[in-house]
Amino acid sequence: MFRMKIREGQIAVVTGAASGIGFALADAFSQRGLRVALADVERPALDAAVAALADRGAPVVGVPCDVADPVQVENLRDRVIQEFGRVDLVCNNAGVVVPFGPMWERPVADWRWVIDVNLWGVVNGVVTFVPVLVAQGSGHVVNTASMAGVTTIPFNGLYNATKHAVVSLTETLAAELLARSTGVGATVLCPGLVSTRIGEAARNRPDRGAEAAARRDSDVLPAQQQAATLQADAVAAQTLRAIEDNRLYLFTHPNAADRIRQRADRVLADTTPLGYVGEP
Ligand SMILES: NC(=O)c1ccc[n+]([C@@H]2O[C@H](COP(=O)([O-])OP(=O)(O)OC[C@H]3O[C@@H](n4cnc5c(N)ncnc54)[C@H](O)[C@@H]3O)[C@@H](O)[C@H]2O)c1
């Protein structure tokens, strides 16, 4: 099986690159001598991130981009090709979360925003960049999902639904890329809790007033985030290894297997058909 070696001079695109895991990925690529396009919807933070990496000397470019908008993602692709001439690595990483609570209490605007960024953002990245990678016969796509994409965490249903979709999308993408012998690989990044600014995701919400009005006392995410012990740069280091190993799944925390098994056992417990009368 092919494996992509990460080499100096390659071109990486990272969305949600102004903060957290995205910034750590951009930083790690830059340290390996790659030219990096940082894309983000939060402009002052994007400018600061670009300035932090530019000081090191590796060429970087910042591209303001809302991943929920397919036109802005196409503009991102065009800008990267114009600036650097090609693309080797694409990290569809931007993501948001809303306060915890029963899903039936979350306004439709919450569902729309989380699905727009977490799912459409990845879809837009895939349909825009994968044809470029397939045409050149090499490259790798990393889609950021979460442990929430392989488990079920109550009161986080909107986020869970989008992250399960990103896992399924990436599994399918990897199988299709292999079936067509494209030379392009795909990884789904599934971190547990990581110390980032995701608990303040509402800072980038287009309708911030509506979000504030919809907040509930059950907003436990910031507290959970404070309990996160894994740092974003450790996630980035694992991601670079996963790309070079052409690994489909990357679980960054040691307890992943138990949590996945618990869900699988729960599914398997209900697999006996009720009233099936056909051939066994
Ligand atoms: N932090 C965790 O515990 C954790 C765990 C599992 C998965 N994740 C996932 O990791 C990814 C990165 O999140 P993070 O934890 O680094 O959070 P973060 O808030 O620190 O960084 C997310 C970045 O995405 C950007 N962004 C938000 N909406 C955007 C949009 N519409 N278009 C472009 N950029 C946008 C933000 O401005 C921010 O810079 C997300 O997909 C998140 O769901 C995080």
Side-chain angles (χ1 to χ4, degrees):
M1 200 196 353
F2 69 92
R3 286 176 188 205
M4 184 177 170
K5 189 88 194 108
I6 293 176
R7 283 191 308 269
E8 204 176 318
Q10 288 172 333
I11 316 300
V13 181
V14 182
T15 69
S19 174
I21 295 169
F23 178 73
L25 285 167
D27 190 9
F29 290 137
S30 165
Q31 286 184 41
R32 292 278 290 268
L34 277 70
R35 291 171 282 171
V36 187
L38 293 87
D40 205 285
V41 77
E42 192 178 351
R43 290 191 182 207
L46 177 62
D47 292 344
V50 169
L53 297 189
D55 280 350
R56 300 236 190 77
V60 291
V61 63
V63 185
C65 174
D66 180 347
V67 295
D69 179 355
V71 174
Q72 293 189 40
V73 178
E74 284 169 15
N75 290 342
L76 169 65
R77 175 201 58 204
D78 295 347
R79 178 77 201 283
V80 173
I81 304 270
Q82 182 192 26
E83 194 81 28
F84 296 134
R86 58 181 282 130
V87 183
D88 299 291
L89 292 162
V90 179
C91 298
N92 295 306
N93 167 78
V96 295
V97 67
V98 290
F100 273 34
M103 64 174 74
W104 61 88
E105 290 182 2
R106 302 309 313 173
V108 169
D110 278 17
W111 286 89
R112 211 172 288 287
W113 179 54
V114 173
I115 292 169
D116 272 354
V117 180
N118 292 8
L119 180 54
W120 274 108
V122 174
V123 173
N124 290 332
V126 166
V127 300
T128 305
F129 282 100
V130 170
V132 177
L133 305 182
V134 168
Q136 74 195 14
S138 68
H140 200 95
V141 180
V142 178
N143 294 330
T144 304
S146 168
M147 277 305 292
V150 288
T151 60
T152 301
I153 304 160
F155 306 116
N156 201 18
L158 293 66
Y159 187 80
N160 294 345
T162 58
K163 295 301 186 179
H164 273 258
V166 171
V167 170
S168 172
L169 183 159
T170 314
E171 289 171 339
T172 313
L173 174 66
E176 292 173 359
L177 290 167
L178 189 63
R180 290 286 170 91
S181 305
T182 60
V184 179
T187 295
V188 61
L189 168 58
C190 298
L193 287 177
V194 183
S195 181
T196 70
R197 292 187 69 201
I198 192 137
E200 306 154 54
R203 71 192 186 278
N204 293 310
R205 186 163 168 162
D207 57 343
R208 288 174 70 174
E211 199 280 338
R215 261 179 188 272
R216 297 275 188 278
D217 290 343
S218 51
D219 177 4
V220 298
L221 188 73
Q224 278 207 346
Q225 272 306 122
Q226 281 160 19
T229 51
L230 195 66
Q231 300 301 313
D233 55 0
V235 174
Q238 292 195 49
T239 306
L240 268 63
R241 288 186 59 184
I243 293 168
E244 293 200 308
D245 286 354
N246 195 18
R247 207 196 243 219
L248 174 54
Y249 304 96
L250 173 55
F251 298 106
T252 57
H253 289 55
N255 61 348
D258 288 341
R259 295 179 60 194
I260 292 166
R261 199 171 293 115
Q262 278 167 18
R263 177 170 185 267
D265 286 346
R266 178 65 192 83
V267 175
L268 291 168
D270 280 354
T271 49
T272 308
L274 301 175
Y276 180 73
V277 291
E279 293 296 315

